[in-house]
Amino acid sequence: MSKARLLRAAERRAQAWKNGGGTTREVTAFPPGSSLDDFDWRISIADVMDGGAFSRFEGVDRIITILSGMLDLEVDGRTVRLTPADAPHAFAGDAPTIGAPVAGPVRDLNVMVRRSGVKATVERAGEGAIIAIDGRHMFVAVALTPAWIVLDGQPVQLAEQDAVMIDAGGETEMLSVAIGALCVIRIGYP
């Protein structure tokens, strides 16, 4: 049986970006209590109001998912335009990176992992999706909309941007999305 922990959006506090250019709200990180310099992995939600350089994280891989707005993301001189309709976008956290909101503010979900020992995947899951949670990964689901999920046969209500963190304890379990949409993050140690 899994150990599940609800991570309510309303309880998150704003933190300064590593480069001081804005704020972010941490969803969760490992190990607990780790800082921006010593996490193994970190999940956060940021509001981007103005264009500018992204904080550099040496030895870190990042995956960004746009929740609202439109962002021009330049990594190592190549620019891609990202919207909520686009797949999560992976890039090196130590590459020179600039983000510029297009036509208004942007809200994004960031997943960061230490390249030397942690791997992550991020995908969206909509209403009716059934997601296998295996015991080899830490699993975090962030609600993209208000949502109802079913875990271990129990219904769980999530407000927009609430999250649930699940450690399946070596077993494979199923999570289903009854109403709404999620961003599904799997984190593992190879």
Side-chain angles (χ1 to χ4, degrees), residues 60-141:
V60 170
D61 287 328
R62 295 179 74 161
I63 304 171
I64 188 171
T65 305
I66 303 302
L67 304 179
S68 64
M70 187 181 317
L71 182 73
D72 282 346
L73 184 70
E74 179 185 324
V75 181
D76 273 337
R78 290 185 49 219
T79 301
V80 60
R81 181 162 285 178
L82 300 172
T83 72
D86 293 310
H89 184 78
F91 63 99
D94 43 15
T97 304
I98 297 171
V102 178
V106 173
R107 179 164 284 175
D108 61 54
L109 175 71
N110 291 284
V111 177
M112 298 189 291
V113 297
R114 293 280 166 207
R115 178 177 306 133
S116 61
V118 186
K119 302 292 180 203
T121 63
V122 181
E123 63 184 299
R124 288 188 175 96
E127 207 163 294
I130 298 174
I131 303 154
I133 302 168
D134 67 57
R136 298 171 302 156
H137 296 90
M138 179 60 68
F139 175 92
V140 179

Side-chain angles (χ1 to χ4, degrees), residues 13-177:
R13 61 181 178 81
Q15 298 176 324
W17 290 352
K18 185 177 179 184
N19 69 6
T23 59
T24 185
R25 286 175 171 73
E26 184 175 280
V27 175
T28 187
F30 186 83
S34 57
S35 72
L36 292 176
D37 296 316
D38 63 1
F39 61 82
D40 282 355
W41 55 265
R42 182 175 190 269
I43 301 168
S44 62
I45 295 175
D47 289 313
V48 182
M49 305 304 281
D50 299 308
F54 272 40
S55 301
R56 286 182 72 120
F57 288 90
E58 296 299 325
V60 170
D61 287 328
R62 295 179 74 161
I63 304 171
I64 188 171
T65 305
I66 303 302
L67 304 179
S68 64
M70 187 181 317
L71 182 73
D72 282 346
L73 184 70
E74 179 185 324
V75 181
D76 273 337
R78 290 185 49 219
T79 301
V80 60
R81 181 162 285 178
L82 300 172
T83 72
D86 293 310
H89 184 78
F91 63 99
D94 43 15
T97 304
I98 297 171
V102 178
V106 173
R107 179 164 284 175
D108 61 54
L109 175 71
N110 291 284
V111 177
M112 298 189 291
V113 297
R114 293 280 166 207
R115 178 177 306 133
S116 61
V118 186
K119 302 292 180 203
T121 63
V122 181
E123 63 184 299
R124 288 188 175 96
E127 207 163 294
I130 298 174
I131 303 154
I133 302 168
D134 67 57
R136 298 171 302 156
H137 296 90
M138 179 60 68
F139 175 92
V140 179
V142 178
L144 300 175
T145 64
W148 278 93
I149 62 173
V150 178
L151 177 64
D152 276 344
Q154 299 296 316
V156 178
Q157 184 177 16
L158 300 173
E160 186 173 350
Q161 297 176 11
D162 280 355
V164 60
M165 185 166 67
I166 303 163
D167 180 352
E171 301 294 321
T172 298
E173 298 183 18
M174 304 307 277
L175 176 144
S176 60
V177 183

